[in-house]
């Protein structure tokens, strides 16, 4: 629990909150200010809109602890506000509410719009108000109500600008030293920190690397079309390695060696009857997941073809994934007559559980081609070091097949769930 | 949904924030929280420690020198929209800021947070690539400066090291005669863009740069060095289309056309200035 002090509707409030308590829950559960409604709870619907230091904000994605020292105003705090009184009247006259759930957020956002801007017409009002959703779809009445007050704006005495010092960052921003309750905590907390150098990573080695930088070549990876159907995503990739097929096959037939070339892949032990347990780690931006499970490798040496299937679950998110990688090696001859190998890869994978709620495919190509590039580079590095013993397991910031998952998640999270871009 | 329990720290200095970041493996920086907040609520992100950097005074600085204006990473979109900053862009940044998400998001979302998150559809990525801006990074090993175009490695992936914080953005000043345009195509206003076009023509500084953003990965940058166009404005669209095709948009006609449309709209807007 963290102690916070803030002003809510003009009254000073001291409270103990857990850091994960968002402002909307704090207002509703701790202060019983239930006029702030919670709709989507991830920043898309606008029902929870309040003012923080005079600017409107989503209280469901602002944490109460971050409002230490702030001035919060909820719908209950506008009882005596002239502009809000006009809006209330207009909302009533124009039938601008049906179930009323979006209304507190609508009114706070509308008041802010009229305060900031004059002379907007219907279409402009719709655009400006598009961050507030009405599930009853009663937009006609809402826009009409706002239009009426907008028309009367020149005759209204608008709220005067805040006497506060203008702030450039999210409110409440930097505070005088020790002025707020959580400040004291933040300072004392530094005691438990270790020496910074202890945790610092060394150098700026590229995260996508495995193996020696000396022999590094850029391997161009072609990514074919991406298809998603029936919950599975399929795609093809191909790249050319400057090594004879026999050599490439020797490496690629060794599933453990191949696994070490896949970013984020770790095997728990050696393959037994073509089976192995392991995990795939993903770090996509702030999202981290580790799919633990089992894989099976089936080789077709006559065709220089191998199929790896695997399935696993991420305990943290409760999601599971399954996938198949099939590759085939074809002989090619380079411009100077050298033996090359074209590696054709077919990938398919599917996901279930929370990580799979969202689907969006337009980021796939970028991610997968980066995974493929990375994999190809790592294979090439291995092939260029015949003993290969000293090549570190692949590690990266950027890729694993599961990345796509996470990205879809984020994008859809932001698109479908959040309904708006990250900011 | 509610986030997992996490610890919360609120450093007052950048050095303290870097120290917290470099000594906690599962820490996550919180700026405006307009993307991180939803991700926390959805439990897409489950950090053990949140480091709130909005109380660090340095991160809302505005500095100006002969060539550029530097904005602290925590400057909000709304502050740029309301022109509370020194504007290096003759109003262009304010126009772009006004188009980001919604007002209640812009009041807390920050320019640095947006860039560090590196969603391909983020407005600032494409806009600032067109303007030739740089990001300023501070880590345990010191400070460095890197162009926005090089900073983003791919979708949600950047050059930021695990112990680094973006502390600011350095935006070059446009010449008086510079023309800049920005257009995005969305299914709903404030939504993620399906395509972004950004254009800068600044003959005095010898710059013509077009950016196709909201692709699946890094925005595509088009300039006379990488595409057969010269400094004349507006540039012919044929070579631009060719360049987009070569940059991975050829496989999907819709993607190609919508990005061309966004660039054409951005050129129109820039032309009109």
């Amino acid at each position: 629990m963290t102690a916070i002090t803030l002003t809510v509707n003009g009254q000073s409030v001291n409270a103990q909150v857990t850091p994960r308590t968002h402002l909307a829950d704090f207002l509703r559960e701790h202060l019983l200010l239930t006029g702030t409604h919670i709709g989507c709870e991830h920043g898309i619907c606008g029902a929870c809109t309040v003012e923080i230091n005079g600017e409107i904000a989503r209280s469901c994605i602002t944490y109460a602890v971050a409002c230490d020292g702030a001035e919060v105003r909820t719908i209950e705090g506008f009882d005596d506000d002239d502009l809000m009184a006009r809006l209330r009247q207009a909302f009533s006259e124009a039938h601008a509410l049906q179930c009323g759930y979006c209304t507190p957020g609508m009114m706070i956002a509308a008041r802010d719009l009229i305060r900031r801007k004059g002379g907007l017409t219907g279409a402009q009002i719709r655009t400006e108000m598009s961050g507030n959703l009405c599930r009853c779809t009663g937009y006609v009445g809402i826009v009409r109500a706002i239009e009426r007050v907008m028309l009367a704006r020149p005759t209204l005495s608008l709220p005067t600008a805040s006497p506060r010092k203008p702030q450039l960052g999210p409110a409440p921003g930097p505070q005088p030293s020790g002025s707020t309750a959580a400040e004291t905590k933040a300072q004392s907390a530094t005691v438990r920190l270790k020496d910074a150098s202890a945790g610092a990573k060394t150098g700026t080695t590229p995260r996508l690397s495995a193996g020696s930088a000396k022999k590094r070549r850029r391997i161009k990876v072609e990514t074919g079309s991406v298809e998603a159907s029936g919950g599975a995503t399929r795609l093809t990739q191909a790249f050319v390695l400057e090594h004879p097929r026999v050599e490439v096959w020797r490496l690629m037939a060794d599933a453990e060696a191949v696994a070490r070339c896949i970013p984020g892949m770790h095997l728990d032990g050696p393959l037994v009857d073509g089976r192995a347990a392991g995990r795939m780690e993903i770090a996509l931006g702030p999202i981290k997941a580790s799919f633990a499970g089992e894989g099976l490798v089936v080789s077709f040496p006559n065709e220089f073809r191998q199929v790896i299937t695997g399935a696993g679950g991420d305990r943290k998110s409760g999601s599971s994934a399954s996938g198949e990688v099939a590759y085939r090696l074809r002989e090619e001859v380079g411009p100077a007559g050298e033996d090359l190998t074209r590696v054709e890869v077919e990938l398919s994978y599917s996901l279930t559980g929370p990580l799979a709620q969202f689907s969006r495919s337009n980021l796939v190509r970028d991610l997968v081609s980066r995974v493929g590039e990375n994999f190809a580079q790592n294979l090439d590095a291995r092939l260029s070091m015949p003993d290969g013993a000293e090549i570190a397991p692949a590690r990266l910031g950027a890729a694993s097949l599961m990345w796509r998952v996470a990205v879809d998640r984020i994008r859809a999270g932001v698109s479908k769930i959040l309904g708006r871009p990250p900011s | 949904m509610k986030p997992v329990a996490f610890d919360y720290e609120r450093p007052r200095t950048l050095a303290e924030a870097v120290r917290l970041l470099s000594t906690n493996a599962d820490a996550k920086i919180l700026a405006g929280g307009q993307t991180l907040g939803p991700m926390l609520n959805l439990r897409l992100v489950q950090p053990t420690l949140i480091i709130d950097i909005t109380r660090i005074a340095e991160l809302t600085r505005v500095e100006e020198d002969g060539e550029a204006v530097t904005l602290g990473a925590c400057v909000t979109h709304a502050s740029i929209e309301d022109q509370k900053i020194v504007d290096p862009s003759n109003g262009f940044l304010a126009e772009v800021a006004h188009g980001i998400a919604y007002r209640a998001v812009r009041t807390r979302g920050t320019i640095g947070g947006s860039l560090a998150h590196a969603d391909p559809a983020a407005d600032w990525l494409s806009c600032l690539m067109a303007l030739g801006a740089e990001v300023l990074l501070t880590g345990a090993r010191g400070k460095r400066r890197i162009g926005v175009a090089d900073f983003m490695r791919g979708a949600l992936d950047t050059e930021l090291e695990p112990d680094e914080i973006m502390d600011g953005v350095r935006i070059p000043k446009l010449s008086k005669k510079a023309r800049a345009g920005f257009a995005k195509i969305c299914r709903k206003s404030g939504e993620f863009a399906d395509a972004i076009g950004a254009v800068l023509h600044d003959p005095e500084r010898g710059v013509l740069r077009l950016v196709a953003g909201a692709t699946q990965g890094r925005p595509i940058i088009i300039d006379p060095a990488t595409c057969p166009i010269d400094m004349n404005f507006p540039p012919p669209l044929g070579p631009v289309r060719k360049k987009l095709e070569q940059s991975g948009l050829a496989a999907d006609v819709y993607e190609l056309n919508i990005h061309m449309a966004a660039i054409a709209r951005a050129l129109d807007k820039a032309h009109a200035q």
Side-chain angles (χ1 to χ4, degrees), chain A residues 20 25 41 56 63 65-66 128 130 168 175 201 207 362-363 370 409-411 420-423, chain B residues 2-3 10 12 16 34-35 41 44 55 76 98 107 119 141 153 156-157 160 188-190 192 216:
Chain A
R20 66 171 174 159
D25 270 348
E41 210 169 7
I56 58 170
Y63 296 97
V65 71
E128 295 289 339
S130 59
L168 298 180
Q175 307 278 300
K201 311 287 182 293
R207 271 174 277 172
N362 78 333
L363 294 184
R370 292 169 71 216
R409 224 176 149 196
I410 294 197
R411 293 302 304 265
R420 54 167 181 71
S423 44
Chain B
K2 315 294 178 192
R10 183 194 297 164
R12 301 180 64 85
E16 201 186 326
Q34 300 300 288
T35 295
N41 285 10
L44 290 175
R55 312 289 174 123
T76 62
H98 177 246
T107 57
D119 188 296
R141 287 175 308 280
R153 293 206 283 214
L156 310 185
D157 191 24
L160 272 170
K188 168 183 177 288
S189 63
F192 268 124
Q216 65 261 14

Side-chain angles (χ1 to χ4, degrees), chain A residues 58-115:
Chain A
R58 311 261 205 238
S59 59
C60 73
I61 52 171
T62 303
Y63 296 97
V65 71
C67 295
D68 187 34
E71 290 171 34
V72 175
R73 195 176 188 187
T74 69
I75 192 70
E76 292 93 340
F78 288 97
D79 281 359
D80 301 325
D81 181 81
D82 289 343
L83 181 51
M84 194 63 98
R86 289 297 291 250
L87 270 167
R88 272 200 302 273
Q89 191 188 344
F91 266 57
S92 172
E93 288 167 3
H95 304 291
L97 73 159
Q98 291 183 42
C99 81
Y101 204 82
C102 70
T103 311
M106 281 287 179
M107 297 194 72
I108 290 177
R111 178 184 171 280
D112 178 68
L113 177 61
I114 295 166
R115 177 184 71 85

Side-chain angles (χ1 to χ4, degrees), chain B residues 26-254:
Chain B
D26 263 335
K28 180 66 192 152
I29 296 283
L30 173 75
Q34 300 300 288
T35 295
L36 184 59
M39 287 167 67
L40 285 167
N41 285 10
L42 293 166
R43 300 203 177 185
L44 290 175
V45 184
Q46 306 190 2
T48 53
L49 173 66
I50 288 286
I51 305 167
D52 180 344
I53 56 170
T54 62
R55 312 289 174 123
I56 301 172
E58 186 183 346
L59 297 186
T60 49
R61 71 193 186 281
V62 177
E63 291 164 356
E64 185 183 10
D65 61 35
E67 288 122 43
V69 171
T70 299
L71 302 180
C74 283
V75 170
T76 62
H77 315 316
S79 294
I80 298 169
E81 176 187 14
D82 298 346
Q83 301 199 285
K84 289 183 185 169
I85 57 155
V86 180
D87 181 10
S89 71
N90 311 329
F92 180 58
L93 289 175
E95 181 197 320
V96 173
H98 177 246
I100 297 173
Y102 314 107
R103 179 70 185 186
V105 170
R106 297 196 290 271
T107 57
R108 299 194 71 76
T110 65
I111 189 168
S114 171
L115 292 172
H117 182 61
D119 188 296
D123 301 54
W124 287 133
L125 279 174
S126 297
C127 165
L128 293 175
M129 281 185 193
L131 295 186
E134 296 169 301
V135 292
L136 312 176
L137 312 181
T138 298
R141 287 175 308 280
K143 292 179 176 288
R144 57 186 180 129
R145 201 160 104 177
I146 179 168
V148 174
D150 296 322
F151 171 71
M152 182 185 181
R153 293 206 283 214
L156 310 185
D157 191 24
T158 69
E159 288 293 325
L160 272 170
E161 290 291 326
D163 59 4
E164 269 182 321
I165 294 177
M166 185 193 301
D167 69 78
V169 187
R170 191 170 191 273
I171 307 168
K173 288 181 179 172
L174 304 190
S175 321
K176 287 242 155 52
K177 285 184 187 158
R179 289 179 279 209
F182 187 87
K184 63 176 177 177
I185 300 176
C186 310
R187 292 169 66 94
K188 168 183 177 288
S189 63
E191 247 283 14
F192 268 124
D194 288 339
I196 289 177
V199 174
L200 172 66
H201 182 236
D202 195 346
E204 282 173 63
R205 291 167 56 238
V207 179
L208 172 62
R209 207 178 287 123
L210 285 67
V211 177
T215 60
Q216 65 261 14
R218 293 171 56 160
I220 300 161
I221 297 178
I222 299 154
D223 58 26
T226 57
C227 180
I229 52 174
D230 57 25
M231 282 297 294
N232 287 324
F233 191 90
L237 290 179
V240 172
R241 189 179 177 94
K242 194 109 197 147
K243 171 75 181 171
L244 293 190
E245 284 173 357
Q246 290 161 356
S247 307
L249 295 187
D252 186 333
V253 177
Y254 169 76

Side-chain angles (χ1 to χ4, degrees), chain A residues 194-202, chain B residues 19 21-25 140-141 162-163:
Chain A
K194 286 176 243 143
D195 175 35
S197 59
K201 311 287 182 293
T202 50
Chain B
R19 200 167 64 232
L21 192 59
S22 56
T23 48
N24 290 279
R141 287 175 308 280
D163 59 4

